[in-house]
Amino acid sequence: MSSVALAQAPLPPAEAAAGSTPSPQDIDRAELRALREELARQKAVSEIQAASLAALQAEADSKSSVEAQTAAELAQTEERLRLYGFLDFGLQKSWFPTSSGLNTVIESTSSTFVLGNLNLYLDARPTERWRALTEIRFTAYPHGEFTEAQPGRAFQRTNNQVFDVNSASGGFAQTRWGAIIIERAQIEYSGADWLRVRAGYWFTPYGIWNVDHGTPTLISLSVPQFVVSEAFPARQLGVDVNGTLNAGAWQVEYHAYVSNGRTPGQLDLTEDKMLGGRLALSRTTPLSMTLGASGFYGGYSDKQARTVSFSPLKFTHDEVAAYKELGVSGDFSLDAQRLRFRTEVALNRRVYDKGKHEVGWYPGAFFPSRIFWGTYALLAYDTGFAGLEPYLYAELDRNMYPVSQGILTPSVGLNIHFTESAQLKLQYSYAKQFDFDDLGRDLSQQYLSFLATRLVVAF
Amino acid sequence: MAQQHGYPRRRFIQLGVSILTVGASAPALAGSGDLAVIVHANNHASLLPSEIEAIFRATKRHWANGDPIVPFNLVPQTAERTLFDQTVLGLSPAAVARYWIDRKIRGGAPPPRAVPNAGIALRVVASLATSIAYVPPDLLTSDVRAVALIRNGALASARARSAPWEDV
């Protein structure tokens, strides 16, 4: 534009030189006039350039302002609804003897592809302080579910194959209907950093594994036994007050909750609610670490309604199982450069009311009051090469298993991070069952070798 | 939190040192690779480096008066964003991406919104009283206030001693 302006700048008409020989004064005057004309021309050009520059600046400012205003408005409203989640698929194979107790729960040692998790998050934020977070896992269950091969019990398999009467094929098509698992459904209110409330169905805030819970986030694939046997309830229905406080480089996180605790059905059948909490200290410098402790206390009760008489009409609610339980856990995580270390321990002390023990593993048997616990340690190293992250894992658990008191599980694994959201996870585990006490049982055949792989994508 | 990737490499300069180190005027502070963490001019909050980190990790979400904090990042893969993440969060670009995936899976708060360039970040902060962002110091105007400075790969905040920073 400036070159155009230059070309269009008004130029004074040139004057012809006088016919007679000019005097020195005439020459000076002519030069002066020429200089003045040149100055005027330059001034005009400069003004045009300044005007062009101002116009361009105004245009840029206007565009930037609009973008800034848009960003500010978007930030204030945030996204009202976000969808995200993860999906994993894999191949797995197990090896165990034909005399292993695992034959009752594992159908085959054949290799098989598996659809692991398809979890979808619905994250709604109707206003800036309120949030409704739902995590749904879609599954093909209960198709294929089978009864444990217990002595004297007939084998049965669930078949969810149905005629797809809505199909355009005329009703001859068949399909397998599946189910959903509500992983969590919680309403959150954020009043301040130190005061947040979540109400609904949430993951119990304890340890590492239960909170991480998703294959993209977990380092290992294998689920710790104390998580499987729920030394702490995996999820609870209730109200959790939580928050964070900053104390210098340390951040203190707390949880205090009241819930139904474990229930046989959808509702709590007693007034004694489960109380629990968590306290965690974390920092990110010079090393990223978290040290946490969690605990809970609660009761369980199962009741059966029974009609005693019709006239007069009378009912009773007989309590058929009841216990009190106490859980404590500790966890520690450390990130040091390329190294990741995780460990946690969880313990449950369960005391049954007299005559109200739950039915045990075998017909006619009942679970005793007991303490069960588990612990694991995991060490992973990011090689920085091709996304390779090998890890070592070891786990020790004590519980009342069908054929043993304990399980020791050394394991090795490898995660291959293709991108930040796509990875291949592999883990080989060897689980050996044993007794802590000398019970004289031959457990030499009670072991499991297990290879699990998962291709995981977070979206 | 527990199973995230994180490779902290930060060096924190203590406040007293930082106040002596930084200059008294914007031109003196400006340099290639420098960033100023800014808030609205009417926001008189002072922040520790750890609090700035917590804000951009979305673990600190409220100002002292209870108003929600609205942080703005620059888009990933820009030099300023990479410098900020490395210095303040102690995370590489890949680790940052993984951090936010982990946060989502755990049910945590979403990441800060990203704006395309520092000029827009400046204007957003100038127009939004509860916001916070980071820009090169030579862009600073009277509409915003610098609360911390990233220089030579270290984060220094002006908490408790604001005088030198008010000139920024």
Side-chain angles (χ1 to χ4, degrees), chain A residues 212 219 284 337 340 342, chain B residues 2-4 7 53 105-106:
Chain A
D212 285 1
I219 298 173
T284 57
Q337 301 295 331
R340 295 201 282 171
R342 308 286 182 266
Chain B
Q3 294 215 17
Q4 81 197 38
Y7 310 129
E53 177 188 357
I105 301 302
R106 296 185 185 110

Side-chain angles (χ1 to χ4, degrees), chain A residues 205-268:
Chain A
Y206 84 95
I208 299 167
W209 210 99
N210 201 60
V211 176
D212 285 1
H213 93 277
T215 33
T217 303
L218 294 162
I219 298 173
S220 62
L221 284 172
S222 176
V223 184
Q225 281 297 321
F226 66 81
V227 175
V228 173
S229 55
E230 296 203 26
F232 277 58
R235 302 168 185 82
Q236 299 190 49
L237 185 64
V239 180
D240 170 40
V241 179
N242 62 84
T244 54
L245 302 165
N246 289 297
W250 290 95
Q251 187 174 68
V252 183
E253 178 188 3
Y254 78 91
H255 287 263
Y257 57 80
V258 56
S259 77
N260 281 348
R262 297 184 213 266
T263 55
Q266 305 278 336
L267 309 176
D268 194 355

Side-chain angles (χ1 to χ4, degrees), chain A residues 3 24 72 134 146 149 161 190 230 247 251 317 335 357 417:
Chain A
S3 60
T134 306
F146 61 95
Q161 187 140 324
S190 179
E230 296 203 26
Q251 187 174 68
H317 289 83
D335 290 358
H357 291 232
H417 299 274

Side-chain angles (χ1 to χ4, degrees), chain A residues 109-275:
Chain A
T109 56
S110 302
S111 61
T112 178
F113 290 107
V114 290
L115 179 60
N117 296 275
L118 168 51
N119 286 35
L120 182 65
Y121 290 66
L122 302 166
D123 187 350
R125 294 171 185 273
T127 64
E128 64 183 15
R129 292 182 187 273
W130 290 90
R131 180 190 194 196
L133 176 64
T134 306
E135 180 185 349
I136 299 294
R137 179 184 173 195
F138 295 91
T139 81
Y141 296 132
H143 184 78
E145 165 77 6
F146 61 95
T147 52
E148 292 169 17
Q150 292 180 351
R153 192 171 178 184
F155 182 88
Q156 290 183 319
R157 186 189 293 284
T158 303
N159 186 348
N160 277 22
Q161 187 140 324
V162 296
F163 283 108
D164 187 359
V165 297
N166 293 302
S167 167
S169 69
F172 294 104
Q174 295 188 35
T175 189
R176 291 176 186 171
W177 59 271
I180 61 168
I181 295 170
I182 300 175
E183 297 273 7
R184 69 175 113 200
Q186 61 196 46
I187 296 168
E188 298 177 20
Y189 174 77
S190 179
D193 288 328
W194 57 272
L195 182 63
R196 293 187 290 265
V197 180
R198 59 177 176 169
Y201 190 54
W202 29 262
F203 281 97
T204 302
Y206 84 95
I208 299 167
W209 210 99
N210 201 60
V211 176
D212 285 1
H213 93 277
T215 33
T217 303
L218 294 162
I219 298 173
S220 62
L221 284 172
S222 176
V223 184
Q225 281 297 321
F226 66 81
V227 175
V228 173
S229 55
E230 296 203 26
F232 277 58
R235 302 168 185 82
Q236 299 190 49
L237 185 64
V239 180
D240 170 40
V241 179
N242 62 84
T244 54
L245 302 165
N246 289 297
W250 290 95
Q251 187 174 68
V252 183
E253 178 188 3
Y254 78 91
H255 287 263
Y257 57 80
V258 56
S259 77
N260 281 348
R262 297 184 213 266
T263 55
Q266 305 278 336
L267 309 176
D268 194 355
L269 305 183
T270 64
E271 291 297 341
D272 59 335
K273 304 303 176 205
M274 179 172 282
L275 302 174

